[in-house]
PDB file of all heavy atoms in Angstrom:
ATOM      1  N   ASP A 179      18.466  57.200  -1.524  1.00  0.00           N
ATOM      2  CA  ASP A 179      19.831  57.340  -1.014  1.00  0.00           C
ATOM      3  C   ASP A 179      20.039  56.263  -0.075  1.00  0.00           C
ATOM      4  O   ASP A 179      19.336  55.439   0.349  1.00  0.00           O
ATOM      5  CB  ASP A 179      20.054  58.672  -0.462  1.00  0.00           C
ATOM      6  CG  ASP A 179      19.203  58.811   0.804  1.00  0.00           C
ATOM      7  OD1 ASP A 179      19.569  58.150   1.875  1.00  0.00           O
ATOM      8  OD2 ASP A 179      18.290  59.672   0.765  1.00  0.00           O
ATOM      9  N   SER A 180      21.392  55.982   0.225  1.00  0.00           N
ATOM     10  CA  SER A 180      21.843  54.840   1.084  1.00  0.00           C
ATOM     11  C   SER A 180      21.122  54.715   2.388  1.00  0.00           C
ATOM     12  O   SER A 180      20.781  53.680   2.895  1.00  0.00           O
ATOM     13  CB  SER A 180      23.349  54.680   0.997  1.00  0.00           C
ATOM     14  OG  SER A 180      23.893  55.930   1.593  1.00  0.00           O
ATOM     15  N   VAL A 181      21.088  55.914   3.136  1.00  0.00           N
ATOM     16  CA  VAL A 181      20.496  55.882   4.392  1.00  0.00           C
ATOM     17  C   VAL A 181      19.177  55.494   4.390  1.00  0.00           C
ATOM     18  O   VAL A 181      18.601  54.592   5.148  1.00  0.00           O
ATOM     19  CB  VAL A 181      20.761  57.186   5.057  1.00  0.00           C
ATOM     20  CG1 VAL A 181      20.067  57.254   6.462  1.00  0.00           C
ATOM     21  CG2 VAL A 181      22.230  57.678   5.181  1.00  0.00           C
ATOM     22  N   THR A 182      18.315  56.261   3.502  1.00  0.00           N
ATOM     23  CA  THR A 182      16.915  55.823   3.409  1.00  0.00           C
ATOM     24  C   THR A 182      16.660  54.451   2.952  1.00  0.00           C
ATOM     25  O   THR A 182      15.801  53.811   3.316  1.00  0.00           O
ATOM     26  CB  THR A 182      16.275  56.881   2.376  1.00  0.00           C
ATOM     27  OG1 THR A 182      16.816  58.240   2.556  1.00  0.00           O
ATOM     28  CG2 THR A 182      14.831  56.929   2.488  1.00  0.00           C
ATOM     29  N   GLY A 183      17.496  54.035   1.990  1.00  0.00           N
ATOM     30  CA  GLY A 183      17.371  52.774   1.432  1.00  0.00           C
ATOM     31  C   GLY A 183      17.574  51.709   2.609  1.00  0.00           C
ATOM     32  O   GLY A 183      16.936  50.672   2.616  1.00  0.00           O
ATOM     33  N   ALA A 184      18.608  51.926   3.341  1.00  0.00           N
ATOM     34  CA  ALA A 184      18.875  50.980   4.554  1.00  0.00           C
ATOM     35  C   ALA A 184      17.620  50.804   5.341  1.00  0.00           C
ATOM     36  O   ALA A 184      17.285  49.763   5.783  1.00  0.00           O
ATOM     37  CB  ALA A 184      20.036  51.481   5.196  1.00  0.00           C
ATOM     38  N   ALA A 185      17.037  52.004   5.582  1.00  0.00           N
ATOM     39  CA  ALA A 185      15.751  51.948   6.520  1.00  0.00           C
ATOM     40  C   ALA A 185      14.676  51.211   5.903  1.00  0.00           C
ATOM     41  O   ALA A 185      13.983  50.440   6.547  1.00  0.00           O
ATOM     42  CB  ALA A 185      15.294  53.379   6.817  1.00  0.00           C
ATOM     43  N   VAL A 186      14.572  51.394   4.607  1.00  0.00           N
ATOM     44  CA  VAL A 186      13.453  50.653   3.786  1.00  0.00           C
ATOM     45  C   VAL A 186      13.725  49.227   3.825  1.00  0.00           C
ATOM     46  O   VAL A 186      12.812  48.366   4.095  1.00  0.00           O
ATOM     47  CB  VAL A 186      13.408  51.123   2.402  1.00  0.00           C
ATOM     48  CG1 VAL A 186      12.582  50.227   1.551  1.00  0.00           C
ATOM     49  CG2 VAL A 186      12.669  52.584   2.359  1.00  0.00           C
ATOM     50  N   LEU A 187      14.955  48.801   3.665  1.00  0.00           N
ATOM     51  CA  LEU A 187      15.456  47.472   3.694  1.00  0.00           C
ATOM     52  C   LEU A 187      15.055  46.840   5.065  1.00  0.00           C
ATOM     53  O   LEU A 187      14.643  45.697   5.159  1.00  0.00           O
ATOM     54  CB  LEU A 187      16.827  47.216   3.372  1.00  0.00           C
ATOM     55  CG  LEU A 187      17.184  47.417   1.927  1.00  0.00           C
ATOM     56  CD1 LEU A 187      18.717  47.420   1.712  1.00  0.00           C
ATOM     57  CD2 LEU A 187      16.523  46.329   1.008  1.00  0.00           C
ATOM     58  N   GLU A 188      15.479  47.556   6.001  1.00  0.00           N
ATOM     59  CA  GLU A 188      15.305  46.982   7.420  1.00  0.00           C
ATOM     60  C   GLU A 188      13.795  46.702   7.747  1.00  0.00           C
ATOM     61  O   GLU A 188      13.430  45.696   8.302  1.00  0.00           O
ATOM     62  CB  GLU A 188      15.714  48.036   8.326  1.00  0.00           C
ATOM     63  CG  GLU A 188      16.179  47.565   9.745  1.00  0.00           C
ATOM     64  CD  GLU A 188      16.790  48.608  10.551  1.00  0.00           C
ATOM     65  OE1 GLU A 188      17.782  49.202  10.120  1.00  0.00           O
ATOM     66  OE2 GLU A 188      16.385  48.729  11.781  1.00  0.00           O
ATOM     67  N   LEU A 189      13.035  47.759   7.194  1.00  0.00           N
ATOM     68  CA  LEU A 189      11.507  47.635   7.266  1.00  0.00           C
ATOM     69  C   LEU A 189      10.967  46.326   6.483  1.00  0.00           C
ATOM     70  O   LEU A 189      10.318  45.529   7.144  1.00  0.00           O
ATOM     71  CB  LEU A 189      10.822  48.745   6.662  1.00  0.00           C
ATOM     72  CG  LEU A 189       9.239  48.644   6.596  1.00  0.00           C
ATOM     73  CD1 LEU A 189       8.679  48.696   7.960  1.00  0.00           C
ATOM     74  CD2 LEU A 189       8.665  49.809   5.859  1.00  0.00           C
ATOM     75  N   LEU A 190      11.534  46.070   5.202  1.00  0.00           N
ATOM     76  CA  LEU A 190      11.106  44.852   4.581  1.00  0.00           C
ATOM     77  C   LEU A 190      11.470  43.636   5.368  1.00  0.00           C
ATOM     78  O   LEU A 190      10.730  42.616   5.513  1.00  0.00           O
ATOM     79  CB  LEU A 190      11.744  44.889   3.100  1.00  0.00           C
ATOM     80  CG  LEU A 190      11.083  45.849   2.188  1.00  0.00           C
ATOM     81  CD1 LEU A 190      12.055  45.893   0.903  1.00  0.00           C
ATOM     82  CD2 LEU A 190       9.746  45.437   1.826  1.00  0.00           C
ATOM     83  N   GLU A 191      12.819  43.550   5.806  1.00  0.00           N
ATOM     84  CA  GLU A 191      13.278  42.362   6.475  1.00  0.00           C
ATOM     85  C   GLU A 191      12.471  42.110   7.854  1.00  0.00           C
ATOM     86  O   GLU A 191      12.131  41.080   8.206  1.00  0.00           O
ATOM     87  CB  GLU A 191      14.732  42.496   6.786  1.00  0.00           C
ATOM     88  CG  GLU A 191      15.587  42.424   5.502  1.00  0.00           C
ATOM     89  CD  GLU A 191      17.008  42.891   5.695  1.00  0.00           C
ATOM     90  OE1 GLU A 191      17.393  43.399   6.696  1.00  0.00           O
ATOM     91  OE2 GLU A 191      17.704  42.765   4.701  1.00  0.00           O
ATOM     92  N   GLN A 192      12.180  43.196   8.424  1.00  0.00           N
ATOM     93  CA  GLN A 192      11.486  43.162   9.728  1.00  0.00           C
ATOM     94  C   GLN A 192       9.994  42.637   9.481  1.00  0.00           C
ATOM     95  O   GLN A 192       9.521  41.842  10.186  1.00  0.00           O
ATOM     96  CB  GLN A 192      11.342  44.487  10.388  1.00  0.00           C
ATOM     97  CG  GLN A 192      10.528  44.669  11.668  1.00  0.00           C
ATOM     98  CD  GLN A 192      10.147  45.979  11.854  1.00  0.00           C
ATOM     99  OE1 GLN A 192      10.704  47.012  11.501  1.00  0.00           O
ATOM    100  NE2 GLN A 192       9.181  46.219  12.811  1.00  0.00           N
ATOM    101  N   LEU A 193       9.314  43.097   8.405  1.00  0.00           N
ATOM    102  CA  LEU A 193       8.063  42.660   8.109  1.00  0.00           C
ATOM    103  C   LEU A 193       8.046  41.214   7.726  1.00  0.00           C
ATOM    104  O   LEU A 193       7.161  40.384   8.057  1.00  0.00           O
ATOM    105  CB  LEU A 193       7.419  43.490   6.876  1.00  0.00           C
ATOM    106  CG  LEU A 193       7.090  44.961   7.261  1.00  0.00           C
ATOM    107  CD1 LEU A 193       6.896  45.774   6.012  1.00  0.00           C
ATOM    108  CD2 LEU A 193       5.827  44.948   8.206  1.00  0.00           C
ATOM    109  N   ASN A 194       9.137  40.703   6.959  1.00  0.00           N
ATOM    110  CA  ASN A 194       9.223  39.395   6.601  1.00  0.00           C
ATOM    111  C   ASN A 194       9.403  38.483   7.902  1.00  0.00           C
ATOM    112  O   ASN A 194       8.663  37.390   7.967  1.00  0.00           O
ATOM    113  CB  ASN A 194      10.491  39.280   5.760  1.00  0.00           C
ATOM    114  CG  ASN A 194      10.962  37.837   5.522  1.00  0.00           C
ATOM    115  OD1 ASN A 194      12.066  37.548   5.970  1.00  0.00           O
ATOM    116  ND2 ASN A 194      10.147  36.946   4.923  1.00  0.00           N
ATOM    117  N   ALA A 195      10.177  39.002   8.804  1.00  0.00           N
ATOM    118  CA  ALA A 195      10.349  38.278  10.024  1.00  0.00           C
ATOM    119  C   ALA A 195       9.110  38.169  10.817  1.00  0.00           C
ATOM    120  O   ALA A 195       8.767  37.110  11.501  1.00  0.00           O
ATOM    121  CB  ALA A 195      11.592  38.892  10.752  1.00  0.00           C
ATOM    122  N   GLU A 196       8.506  39.242  11.041  1.00  0.00           N
ATOM    123  CA  GLU A 196       7.326  39.459  11.876  1.00  0.00           C
ATOM    124  C   GLU A 196       6.029  38.685  11.375  1.00  0.00           C
ATOM    125  O   GLU A 196       5.355  38.002  12.047  1.00  0.00           O
ATOM    126  CB  GLU A 196       6.974  40.866  12.161  1.00  0.00           C
ATOM    127  CG  GLU A 196       7.943  41.509  13.179  1.00  0.00           C
ATOM    128  CD  GLU A 196       7.669  43.001  13.269  1.00  0.00           C
ATOM    129  OE1 GLU A 196       6.645  43.391  12.598  1.00  0.00           O
ATOM    130  OE2 GLU A 196       8.343  43.597  14.008  1.00  0.00           O
ATOM    131  N   SER A 197       5.727  39.040  10.133  1.00  0.00           N
ATOM    132  CA  SER A 197       4.459  38.535   9.624  1.00  0.00           C
ATOM    133  C   SER A 197       4.586  37.249   8.755  1.00  0.00           C
ATOM    134  O   SER A 197       3.506  36.668   8.464  1.00  0.00           O
ATOM    135  CB  SER A 197       3.796  39.649   8.585  1.00  0.00           C
ATOM    136  OG  SER A 197       4.518  39.729   7.519  1.00  0.00           O
ATOM    137  N   GLY A 198       5.665  36.833   8.580  1.00  0.00           N
ATOM    138  CA  GLY A 198       5.835  35.505   7.837  1.00  0.00           C
ATOM    139  C   GLY A 198       5.653  35.634   6.372  1.00  0.00           C
ATOM    140  O   GLY A 198       5.410  34.586   5.719  1.00  0.00           O
ATOM    141  N   VAL A 199       5.432  36.823   5.806  1.00  0.00           N
ATOM    142  CA  VAL A 199       5.326  36.883   4.326  1.00  0.00           C
ATOM    143  C   VAL A 199       6.554  36.680   3.823  1.00  0.00           C
ATOM    144  O   VAL A 199       7.686  37.137   4.237  1.00  0.00           O
ATOM    145  CB  VAL A 199       4.738  38.349   4.012  1.00  0.00           C
ATOM    146  CG1 VAL A 199       5.837  39.434   4.338  1.00  0.00           C
ATOM    147  CG2 VAL A 199       4.503  38.471   2.422  1.00  0.00           C
ATOM    148  N   ALA A 200       6.668  35.821   2.712  1.00  0.00           N
ATOM    149  CA  ALA A 200       7.862  35.511   1.941  1.00  0.00           C
ATOM    150  C   ALA A 200       8.387  36.679   1.319  1.00  0.00           C
ATOM    151  O   ALA A 200       7.530  37.525   0.685  1.00  0.00           O
ATOM    152  CB  ALA A 200       7.673  34.483   0.963  1.00  0.00           C
ATOM    153  N   LEU A 201       9.657  36.949   1.386  1.00  0.00           N
ATOM    154  CA  LEU A 201      10.173  38.152   0.831  1.00  0.00           C
ATOM    155  C   LEU A 201      11.138  37.727  -0.332  1.00  0.00           C
ATOM    156  O   LEU A 201      12.172  36.986  -0.029  1.00  0.00           O
ATOM    157  CB  LEU A 201      11.014  38.986   1.907  1.00  0.00           C
ATOM    158  CG  LEU A 201      11.707  40.245   1.323  1.00  0.00           C
ATOM    159  CD1 LEU A 201      10.828  41.254   0.540  1.00  0.00           C
ATOM    160  CD2 LEU A 201      12.435  40.977   2.391  1.00  0.00           C
ATOM    161  N   VAL A 202      10.951  38.104  -1.527  1.00  0.00           N
ATOM    162  CA  VAL A 202      11.914  37.903  -2.646  1.00  0.00           C
ATOM    163  C   VAL A 202      12.332  39.225  -3.189  1.00  0.00           C
ATOM    164  O   VAL A 202      11.432  40.013  -3.536  1.00  0.00           O
ATOM    165  CB  VAL A 202      11.333  37.039  -3.728  1.00  0.00           C
ATOM    166  CG1 VAL A 202      12.391  36.886  -4.914  1.00  0.00           C
ATOM    167  CG2 VAL A 202      10.722  35.797  -3.277  1.00  0.00           C
ATOM    168  N   MET A 203      13.571  39.524  -3.031  1.00  0.00           N
ATOM    169  CA  MET A 203      14.126  40.891  -3.236  1.00  0.00           C
ATOM    170  C   MET A 203      15.283  40.914  -4.270  1.00  0.00           C
ATOM    171  O   MET A 203      16.194  40.127  -4.097  1.00  0.00           O
ATOM    172  CB  MET A 203      14.464  41.527  -1.972  1.00  0.00           C
ATOM    173  CG  MET A 203      15.019  43.010  -2.259  1.00  0.00           C
ATOM    174  SD  MET A 203      15.010  43.840  -0.627  1.00  0.00           S
ATOM    175  CE  MET A 203      16.094  42.730   0.368  1.00  0.00           C
TER     176      MET A 203
END
Side-chain angles (χ1 to χ4, degrees):
Chain A
D179 65 70
S180 53
V181 177
T182 317
V186 163
L187 287 173
E188 204 172 312
L189 173 67
L190 284 171
E191 287 164 358
Q192 179 198 337
L193 290 165
N194 165 244
E196 283 174 3
S197 68
V199 61
L201 173 63
V202 180
M203 179 164 59

